[in-house]
Amino acid sequence: MSALIRRHGMALIAAGAVLGIAVPPLAAAMRPWLLWISLAVMTLALLRVEPAALGGVLRRPRLALLVLAWVTLGVPLLVYALLAPLLPTTSPFLAAAVLIAATPSVMSAAVFAILLGADAALLTVVAIPSNALAPALLPAVAALMGVSAQVDPWGMALRLAILVFGSFALAGLAIRLAGRQALRAAAPVLDVWIVLLVIASAIPCMDGVGEALLARPLTFLLMLAFALGLNLALQAIGFAVFLAAPREGALSAGLVSGTRNMVLLLAALGDPGESDVGLIVAAAQLALFVMPVLVAPAYRRLRRRP
């Protein structure tokens, strides 16, 4: 069973998101547990990141700082520059795309890095300051795009503190109790639990999406295609921008360019069914869970290429 989960983990994650859409009461019931599931995911991901790799990124932070600047400022400016000439200023697609691009890196970016073979240590270092800037950046971008977004900076900061300090503390305790060698040997088991917990997190992330999909199925599918196209295009552009970096670094920059923390944005925008922008962001959240299945072959080929 564990080998099956590891082999088909990315497809199972996508299936978890579909389950959350198909069974709205389950997604709603699990929503209060999302923070704690995310904490468990981050803790296990940290156990799979070698301390030496994290130390290496911190000792030579140039690439991490460049990726952070790119995903925080470069990507939203690029998205606006590319789409503003093509879409009306009142278009919900333009507003949603810029908001998505300005949303911080997903906190569990290391999980996607592990699944796709990118640099988990680099993305862990990038994710923390990226999210720390969100309480100031998201309201400013929302205001510029004329979108109503209720961002609670203290609540967001508290959730971030729980995730960062809690996961590092729990991972440190596990390393102290079990030892790094035992955890290395348990890597396949940890990977299985990571997949299972990401599946569990995908279900509550789809809270409200099922109802919105039933109300406007064709519109939602169009929005999903737009969100998925945006995600994949940003990954390709991010990889190209950092092509001169080591291969894992370029893959990581590409991954984090499109893989954003939609949970923060959905919380700020409210019920996905209440606005077109909210529905597009909900579609982008679904695209986040579907994306690994689609890009995995390309990541494998790029890792092998000299």
Side-chain angles (χ1 to χ4, degrees):
M1 179 63 78
S2 63
L4 186 69
I5 292 172
R6 280 162 47 217
R7 189 177 309 117
H8 301 289
M10 288 177 281
L12 291 171
I13 290 168
V18 173
L19 179 62
I21 295 172
V23 190
L26 177 62
M30 291 183 65
R31 188 59 186 259
W33 293 94
L34 181 57
L35 176 63
W36 308 111
I37 296 170
S38 301
L39 174 62
V41 171
M42 279 194 63
T43 301
L44 292 182
L46 285 173
L47 294 178
R48 290 285 282 110
V49 177
E50 289 291 334
L54 271 177
V57 174
L58 293 172
R59 284 192 299 273
R60 295 180 294 278
R62 182 171 177 269
L63 179 58
L65 291 172
L66 288 172
V67 173
L68 177 62
W70 164 250
V71 299
T72 304
L73 299 174
V75 174
L77 290 173
L78 176 68
V79 167
Y80 183 79
L82 291 177
L83 294 183
L86 304 176
L87 297 170
T89 55
T90 56
S91 169
F93 288 93
L94 176 61
V98 176
L99 277 171
I100 289 166
T103 302
S105 159
V106 65
M107 281 298 295
S108 54
V111 171
F112 291 93
I114 291 166
L115 290 172
L116 294 170
D119 189 335
L122 173 64
L123 293 190
T124 298
V125 172
V126 169
I128 295 171
S130 174
N131 279 266
L133 294 169
L137 185 62
L138 272 183
V141 175
L144 286 172
M145 301 309 299
V147 175
S148 174
Q150 300 300 318
V151 177
D152 175 11
W154 295 110
M156 196 179 288
L158 177 60
R159 289 192 294 273
L160 176 66
I162 291 171
L163 286 173
V164 174
F165 294 112
S167 59
F168 273 90
L170 289 171
L173 180 62
I175 292 169
R176 186 177 183 86
L177 293 176
R180 176 53 67 179
Q181 285 300 116
L183 290 170
R184 288 193 187 104
V189 176
L190 292 177
D191 287 348
V192 168
W193 277 105
I194 287 172
V195 170
L196 291 175
L197 286 167
V198 174
I199 294 168
S201 73
I203 297 171
C205 281
M206 293 295 100
D207 184 24
V209 177
E211 295 91 335
L213 175 59
L214 285 175
R216 294 192 291 168
L218 293 179
T219 300
F220 183 81
L221 290 176
L222 172 64
M223 291 173 171
L224 177 60
F226 174 81
L228 192 56
L230 179 67
N231 186 315
L232 297 177
L234 289 178
Q235 288 195 55
I237 292 170
F239 175 75
V241 167
F242 285 86
L243 198 56
R247 182 54 52 89
E248 275 195 350
L251 288 171
S252 301
L255 178 60
V256 81
S257 295
T259 308
R260 302 307 184 101
N261 195 346
M262 299 303 159
V263 174
L264 286 182
L265 193 49
L266 281 172
L269 295 173
D271 190 327
E274 291 181 356
S275 70
D276 284 345
V277 171
L279 195 54
I280 295 167
V281 173
Q285 177 70 73
L286 176 57
L288 185 73
F289 293 117
V290 173
M291 171 274 300
V293 180
L294 301 179
V295 302
Y299 274 69
R300 282 195 293 269
R301 285 197 298 272
L302 289 168
R303 286 201 314 274
R304 288 195 298 265
R305 187 176 297 176

PDB file of all heavy atoms in Angstrom, residues 133-162:
ATOM      1  N   LEU A 133       5.570  38.855   4.538  1.00  0.00           N
ATOM      2  CA  LEU A 133       5.246  40.112   3.859  1.00  0.00           C
ATOM      3  C   LEU A 133       3.779  40.200   3.466  1.00  0.00           C
ATOM      4  O   LEU A 133       3.295  41.284   3.128  1.00  0.00           O
ATOM      5  CB  LEU A 133       6.122  40.264   2.609  1.00  0.00           C
ATOM      6  CG  LEU A 133       7.621  40.438   2.849  1.00  0.00           C
ATOM      7  CD1 LEU A 133       8.387  40.307   1.526  1.00  0.00           C
ATOM      8  CD2 LEU A 133       7.893  41.801   3.469  1.00  0.00           C
ATOM      9  N   ALA A 134       3.063  39.076   3.496  1.00  0.00           N
ATOM     10  CA  ALA A 134       1.695  39.030   2.983  1.00  0.00           C
ATOM     11  C   ALA A 134       0.721  39.981   3.666  1.00  0.00           C
ATOM     12  O   ALA A 134      -0.094  40.611   2.991  1.00  0.00           O
ATOM     13  CB  ALA A 134       1.167  37.596   3.055  1.00  0.00           C
ATOM     14  N   PRO A 135       0.742  40.134   5.010  1.00  0.00           N
ATOM     15  CA  PRO A 135      -0.236  41.029   5.637  1.00  0.00           C
ATOM     16  C   PRO A 135      -0.166  42.471   5.144  1.00  0.00           C
ATOM     17  O   PRO A 135      -1.168  43.183   5.170  1.00  0.00           O
ATOM     18  CB  PRO A 135       0.120  40.939   7.130  1.00  0.00           C
ATOM     19  CG  PRO A 135       0.778  39.607   7.287  1.00  0.00           C
ATOM     20  CD  PRO A 135       1.551  39.412   6.018  1.00  0.00           C
ATOM     21  N   ALA A 136       0.999  42.903   4.684  1.00  0.00           N
ATOM     22  CA  ALA A 136       1.124  44.265   4.147  1.00  0.00           C
ATOM     23  C   ALA A 136       0.897  44.296   2.640  1.00  0.00           C
ATOM     24  O   ALA A 136       0.275  45.223   2.113  1.00  0.00           O
ATOM     25  CB  ALA A 136       2.505  44.822   4.475  1.00  0.00           C
ATOM     26  N   LEU A 137       1.384  43.264   1.940  1.00  0.00           N
ATOM     27  CA  LEU A 137       1.359  43.283   0.474  1.00  0.00           C
ATOM     28  C   LEU A 137      -0.029  43.004  -0.097  1.00  0.00           C
ATOM     29  O   LEU A 137      -0.493  43.715  -1.005  1.00  0.00           O
ATOM     30  CB  LEU A 137       2.362  42.260  -0.069  1.00  0.00           C
ATOM     31  CG  LEU A 137       2.542  42.232  -1.587  1.00  0.00           C
ATOM     32  CD1 LEU A 137       3.081  43.573  -2.086  1.00  0.00           C
ATOM     33  CD2 LEU A 137       3.477  41.099  -1.991  1.00  0.00           C
ATOM     34  N   LEU A 138      -0.728  41.992   0.423  1.00  0.00           N
ATOM     35  CA  LEU A 138      -2.007  41.601  -0.162  1.00  0.00           C
ATOM     36  C   LEU A 138      -3.058  42.719  -0.118  1.00  0.00           C
ATOM     37  O   LEU A 138      -3.717  42.982  -1.133  1.00  0.00           O
ATOM     38  CB  LEU A 138      -2.545  40.339   0.524  1.00  0.00           C
ATOM     39  CG  LEU A 138      -2.084  39.007  -0.056  1.00  0.00           C
ATOM     40  CD1 LEU A 138      -2.738  37.844   0.675  1.00  0.00           C
ATOM     41  CD2 LEU A 138      -2.403  38.921  -1.538  1.00  0.00           C
ATOM     42  N   PRO A 139      -3.271  43.391   1.036  1.00  0.00           N
ATOM     43  CA  PRO A 139      -4.262  44.477   1.037  1.00  0.00           C
ATOM     44  C   PRO A 139      -3.911  45.592   0.056  1.00  0.00           C
ATOM     45  O   PRO A 139      -4.796  46.170  -0.572  1.00  0.00           O
ATOM     46  CB  PRO A 139      -4.239  44.982   2.483  1.00  0.00           C
ATOM     47  CG  PRO A 139      -3.647  43.886   3.278  1.00  0.00           C
ATOM     48  CD  PRO A 139      -2.683  43.202   2.363  1.00  0.00           C
ATOM     49  N   ALA A 140      -2.610  45.900  -0.084  1.00  0.00           N
ATOM     50  CA  ALA A 140      -2.189  46.965  -0.991  1.00  0.00           C
ATOM     51  C   ALA A 140      -2.503  46.596  -2.439  1.00  0.00           C
ATOM     52  O   ALA A 140      -3.046  47.411  -3.202  1.00  0.00           O
ATOM     53  CB  ALA A 140      -0.696  47.240  -0.819  1.00  0.00           C
ATOM     54  N   VAL A 141      -2.193  45.365  -2.822  1.00  0.00           N
ATOM     55  CA  VAL A 141      -2.462  44.923  -4.199  1.00  0.00           C
ATOM     56  C   VAL A 141      -3.970  44.854  -4.441  1.00  0.00           C
ATOM     57  O   VAL A 141      -4.460  45.247  -5.506  1.00  0.00           O
ATOM     58  CB  VAL A 141      -1.789  43.561  -4.475  1.00  0.00           C
ATOM     59  CG1 VAL A 141      -2.176  43.038  -5.852  1.00  0.00           C
ATOM     60  CG2 VAL A 141      -0.275  43.683  -4.372  1.00  0.00           C
ATOM     61  N   ALA A 142      -4.722  44.348  -3.461  1.00  0.00           N
ATOM     62  CA  ALA A 142      -6.181  44.271  -3.598  1.00  0.00           C
ATOM     63  C   ALA A 142      -6.778  45.659  -3.801  1.00  0.00           C
ATOM     64  O   ALA A 142      -7.666  45.851  -4.646  1.00  0.00           O
ATOM     65  CB  ALA A 142      -6.786  43.602  -2.363  1.00  0.00           C
ATOM     66  N   ALA A 143      -6.293  46.632  -3.047  1.00  0.00           N
ATOM     67  CA  ALA A 143      -6.799  48.002  -3.186  1.00  0.00           C
ATOM     68  C   ALA A 143      -6.478  48.566  -4.571  1.00  0.00           C
ATOM     69  O   ALA A 143      -7.324  49.215  -5.204  1.00  0.00           O
ATOM     70  CB  ALA A 143      -6.204  48.888  -2.099  1.00  0.00           C
ATOM     71  N   LEU A 144      -5.270  48.305  -5.066  1.00  0.00           N
ATOM     72  CA  LEU A 144      -4.885  48.793  -6.390  1.00  0.00           C
ATOM     73  C   LEU A 144      -5.748  48.177  -7.487  1.00  0.00           C
ATOM     74  O   LEU A 144      -6.048  48.827  -8.494  1.00  0.00           O
ATOM     75  CB  LEU A 144      -3.406  48.477  -6.658  1.00  0.00           C
ATOM     76  CG  LEU A 144      -2.382  49.336  -5.908  1.00  0.00           C
ATOM     77  CD1 LEU A 144      -0.980  48.787  -6.113  1.00  0.00           C
ATOM     78  CD2 LEU A 144      -2.450  50.791  -6.382  1.00  0.00           C
ATOM     79  N   MET A 145      -6.165  46.915  -7.294  1.00  0.00           N
ATOM     80  CA  MET A 145      -6.974  46.232  -8.299  1.00  0.00           C
ATOM     81  C   MET A 145      -8.468  46.450  -8.079  1.00  0.00           C
ATOM     82  O   MET A 145      -9.296  45.892  -8.810  1.00  0.00           O
ATOM     83  CB  MET A 145      -6.661  44.720  -8.293  1.00  0.00           C
ATOM     84  CG  MET A 145      -5.214  44.376  -8.577  1.00  0.00           C
ATOM     85  SD  MET A 145      -4.553  45.181 -10.078  1.00  0.00           S
ATOM     86  CE  MET A 145      -5.627  44.500 -11.348  1.00  0.00           C
ATOM     87  N   GLY A 146      -8.833  47.243  -7.068  1.00  0.00           N
ATOM     88  CA  GLY A 146     -10.243  47.536  -6.808  1.00  0.00           C
ATOM     89  C   GLY A 146     -11.013  46.348  -6.274  1.00  0.00           C
ATOM     90  O   GLY A 146     -12.223  46.223  -6.501  1.00  0.00           O
ATOM     91  N   VAL A 147     -10.343  45.476  -5.540  1.00  0.00           N
ATOM     92  CA  VAL A 147     -10.974  44.272  -4.993  1.00  0.00           C
ATOM     93  C   VAL A 147     -11.118  44.430  -3.489  1.00  0.00           C
ATOM     94  O   VAL A 147     -10.174  44.850  -2.804  1.00  0.00           O
ATOM     95  CB  VAL A 147     -10.139  43.006  -5.318  1.00  0.00           C
ATOM     96  CG1 VAL A 147     -10.734  41.781  -4.631  1.00  0.00           C
ATOM     97  CG2 VAL A 147     -10.072  42.808  -6.823  1.00  0.00           C
ATOM     98  N   SER A 148     -12.282  44.051  -2.979  1.00  0.00           N
ATOM     99  CA  SER A 148     -12.498  44.096  -1.532  1.00  0.00           C
ATOM    100  C   SER A 148     -11.901  42.846  -0.903  1.00  0.00           C
ATOM    101  O   SER A 148     -12.323  41.727  -1.203  1.00  0.00           O
ATOM    102  CB  SER A 148     -13.998  44.163  -1.223  1.00  0.00           C
ATOM    103  OG  SER A 148     -14.224  44.077   0.164  1.00  0.00           O
ATOM    104  N   ALA A 149     -10.887  43.023  -0.066  1.00  0.00           N
ATOM    105  CA  ALA A 149     -10.238  41.896   0.610  1.00  0.00           C
ATOM    106  C   ALA A 149     -10.042  42.251   2.078  1.00  0.00           C
ATOM    107  O   ALA A 149      -9.376  43.224   2.406  1.00  0.00           O
ATOM    108  CB  ALA A 149      -8.897  41.573  -0.043  1.00  0.00           C
ATOM    109  N   GLN A 150     -10.665  41.470   2.939  1.00  0.00           N
ATOM    110  CA  GLN A 150     -10.566  41.723   4.375  1.00  0.00           C
ATOM    111  C   GLN A 150      -9.407  40.913   4.951  1.00  0.00           C
ATOM    112  O   GLN A 150      -9.560  39.729   5.249  1.00  0.00           O
ATOM    113  CB  GLN A 150     -11.881  41.331   5.069  1.00  0.00           C
ATOM    114  CG  GLN A 150     -13.088  42.102   4.556  1.00  0.00           C
ATOM    115  CD  GLN A 150     -12.946  43.597   4.759  1.00  0.00           C
ATOM    116  OE1 GLN A 150     -12.496  44.052   5.810  1.00  0.00           O
ATOM    117  NE2 GLN A 150     -13.316  44.375   3.752  1.00  0.00           N
ATOM    118  N   VAL A 151      -8.254  41.527   5.054  1.00  0.00           N
ATOM    119  CA  VAL A 151      -7.065  40.838   5.560  1.00  0.00           C
ATOM    120  C   VAL A 151      -6.856  41.230   7.019  1.00  0.00           C
ATOM    121  O   VAL A 151      -6.743  42.406   7.348  1.00  0.00           O
ATOM    122  CB  VAL A 151      -5.811  41.206   4.730  1.00  0.00           C
ATOM    123  CG1 VAL A 151      -4.575  40.551   5.318  1.00  0.00           C
ATOM    124  CG2 VAL A 151      -5.999  40.793   3.281  1.00  0.00           C
ATOM    125  N   ASP A 152      -6.837  40.227   7.879  1.00  0.00           N
ATOM    126  CA  ASP A 152      -6.555  40.438   9.298  1.00  0.00           C
ATOM    127  C   ASP A 152      -5.068  40.198   9.520  1.00  0.00           C
ATOM    128  O   ASP A 152      -4.633  39.045   9.611  1.00  0.00           O
ATOM    129  CB  ASP A 152      -7.403  39.475  10.141  1.00  0.00           C
ATOM    130  CG  ASP A 152      -7.066  39.547  11.629  1.00  0.00           C
ATOM    131  OD1 ASP A 152      -6.328  40.474  12.025  1.00  0.00           O
ATOM    132  OD2 ASP A 152      -7.532  38.672  12.380  1.00  0.00           O
ATOM    133  N   PRO A 153      -4.251  41.258   9.583  1.00  0.00           N
ATOM    134  CA  PRO A 153      -2.793  41.051   9.673  1.00  0.00           C
ATOM    135  C   PRO A 153      -2.380  40.295  10.924  1.00  0.00           C
ATOM    136  O   PRO A 153      -1.455  39.480  10.880  1.00  0.00           O
ATOM    137  CB  PRO A 153      -2.231  42.475   9.666  1.00  0.00           C
ATOM    138  CG  PRO A 153      -3.361  43.365  10.035  1.00  0.00           C
ATOM    139  CD  PRO A 153      -4.602  42.691   9.563  1.00  0.00           C
ATOM    140  N   TRP A 154      -3.056  40.555  12.062  1.00  0.00           N
ATOM    141  CA  TRP A 154      -2.685  39.861  13.296  1.00  0.00           C
ATOM    142  C   TRP A 154      -3.060  38.389  13.221  1.00  0.00           C
ATOM    143  O   TRP A 154      -2.285  37.520  13.653  1.00  0.00           O
ATOM    144  CB  TRP A 154      -3.340  40.532  14.498  1.00  0.00           C
ATOM    145  CG  TRP A 154      -2.834  41.922  14.727  1.00  0.00           C
ATOM    146  CD1 TRP A 154      -3.506  43.089  14.549  1.00  0.00           C
ATOM    147  CD2 TRP A 154      -1.505  42.286  15.133  1.00  0.00           C
ATOM    148  NE1 TRP A 154      -2.701  44.161  14.817  1.00  0.00           N
ATOM    149  CE2 TRP A 154      -1.464  43.708  15.179  1.00  0.00           C
ATOM    150  CE3 TRP A 154      -0.354  41.575  15.447  1.00  0.00           C
ATOM    151  CZ2 TRP A 154      -0.324  44.413  15.543  1.00  0.00           C
ATOM    152  CZ3 TRP A 154       0.785  42.277  15.800  1.00  0.00           C
ATOM    153  CH2 TRP A 154       0.798  43.668  15.857  1.00  0.00           C
ATOM    154  N   GLY A 155      -4.236  38.097  12.671  1.00  0.00           N
ATOM    155  CA  GLY A 155      -4.630  36.695  12.522  1.00  0.00           C
ATOM    156  C   GLY A 155      -3.708  35.948  11.577  1.00  0.00           C
ATOM    157  O   GLY A 155      -3.320  34.804  11.827  1.00  0.00           O
ATOM    158  N   MET A 156      -3.342  36.621  10.477  1.00  0.00           N
ATOM    159  CA  MET A 156      -2.426  36.012   9.516  1.00  0.00           C
ATOM    160  C   MET A 156      -1.057  35.779  10.148  1.00  0.00           C
ATOM    161  O   MET A 156      -0.433  34.723   9.948  1.00  0.00           O
ATOM    162  CB  MET A 156      -2.316  36.923   8.287  1.00  0.00           C
ATOM    163  CG  MET A 156      -1.711  36.255   7.077  1.00  0.00           C
ATOM    164  SD  MET A 156      -1.642  37.380   5.645  1.00  0.00           S
ATOM    165  CE  MET A 156      -3.375  37.469   5.208  1.00  0.00           C
ATOM    166  N   ALA A 157      -0.586  36.773  10.920  1.00  0.00           N
ATOM    167  CA  ALA A 157       0.709  36.636  11.583  1.00  0.00           C
ATOM    168  C   ALA A 157       0.691  35.507  12.604  1.00  0.00           C
ATOM    169  O   ALA A 157       1.673  34.761  12.752  1.00  0.00           O
ATOM    170  CB  ALA A 157       1.084  37.954  12.262  1.00  0.00           C
ATOM    171  N   LEU A 158      -0.435  35.354  13.308  1.00  0.00           N
ATOM    172  CA  LEU A 158      -0.543  34.273  14.288  1.00  0.00           C
ATOM    173  C   LEU A 158      -0.491  32.909  13.609  1.00  0.00           C
ATOM    174  O   LEU A 158       0.227  32.005  14.065  1.00  0.00           O
ATOM    175  CB  LEU A 158      -1.840  34.418  15.085  1.00  0.00           C
ATOM    176  CG  LEU A 158      -2.130  33.314  16.109  1.00  0.00           C
ATOM    177  CD1 LEU A 158      -1.025  33.245  17.161  1.00  0.00           C
ATOM    178  CD2 LEU A 158      -3.498  33.525  16.763  1.00  0.00           C
ATOM    179  N   ARG A 159      -1.227  32.758  12.498  1.00  0.00           N
ATOM    180  CA  ARG A 159      -1.197  31.479  11.777  1.00  0.00           C
ATOM    181  C   ARG A 159       0.209  31.181  11.260  1.00  0.00           C
ATOM    182  O   ARG A 159       0.681  30.041  11.322  1.00  0.00           O
ATOM    183  CB  ARG A 159      -2.203  31.508  10.615  1.00  0.00           C
ATOM    184  CG  ARG A 159      -3.653  31.467  11.059  1.00  0.00           C
ATOM    185  CD  ARG A 159      -4.580  31.210   9.889  1.00  0.00           C
ATOM    186  NE  ARG A 159      -4.588  32.309   8.939  1.00  0.00           N
ATOM    187  CZ  ARG A 159      -5.371  33.377   9.028  1.00  0.00           C
ATOM    188  NH1 ARG A 159      -6.222  33.487  10.057  1.00  0.00           N
ATOM    189  NH2 ARG A 159      -5.344  34.324   8.124  1.00  0.00           N
ATOM    190  N   LEU A 160       0.877  32.219  10.757  1.00  0.00           N
ATOM    191  CA  LEU A 160       2.237  32.037  10.260  1.00  0.00           C
ATOM    192  C   LEU A 160       3.167  31.613  11.388  1.00  0.00           C
ATOM    193  O   LEU A 160       3.996  30.702  11.218  1.00  0.00           O
ATOM    194  CB  LEU A 160       2.733  33.338   9.627  1.00  0.00           C
ATOM    195  CG  LEU A 160       4.180  33.342   9.144  1.00  0.00           C
ATOM    196  CD1 LEU A 160       4.352  32.366   7.989  1.00  0.00           C
ATOM    197  CD2 LEU A 160       4.608  34.747   8.727  1.00  0.00           C
ATOM    198  N   ALA A 161       3.029  32.257  12.561  1.00  0.00           N
ATOM    199  CA  ALA A 161       3.885  31.921  13.702  1.00  0.00           C
ATOM    200  C   ALA A 161       3.667  30.475  14.139  1.00  0.00           C
ATOM    201  O   ALA A 161       4.621  29.746  14.442  1.00  0.00           O
ATOM    202  CB  ALA A 161       3.609  32.874  14.865  1.00  0.00           C
ATOM    203  N   ILE A 162       2.397  30.041  14.166  1.00  0.00           N
ATOM    204  CA  ILE A 162       2.104  28.661  14.543  1.00  0.00           C
ATOM    205  C   ILE A 162       2.762  27.697  13.571  1.00  0.00           C
ATOM    206  O   ILE A 162       3.394  26.703  13.965  1.00  0.00           O
ATOM    207  CB  ILE A 162       0.585  28.433  14.607  1.00  0.00           C
ATOM    208  CG1 ILE A 162      -0.029  29.192  15.793  1.00  0.00           C
ATOM    209  CG2 ILE A 162       0.259  26.937  14.730  1.00  0.00           C
ATOM    210  CD1 ILE A 162      -1.542  29.190  15.806  1.00  0.00           C
TER     211      ILE A 162
END
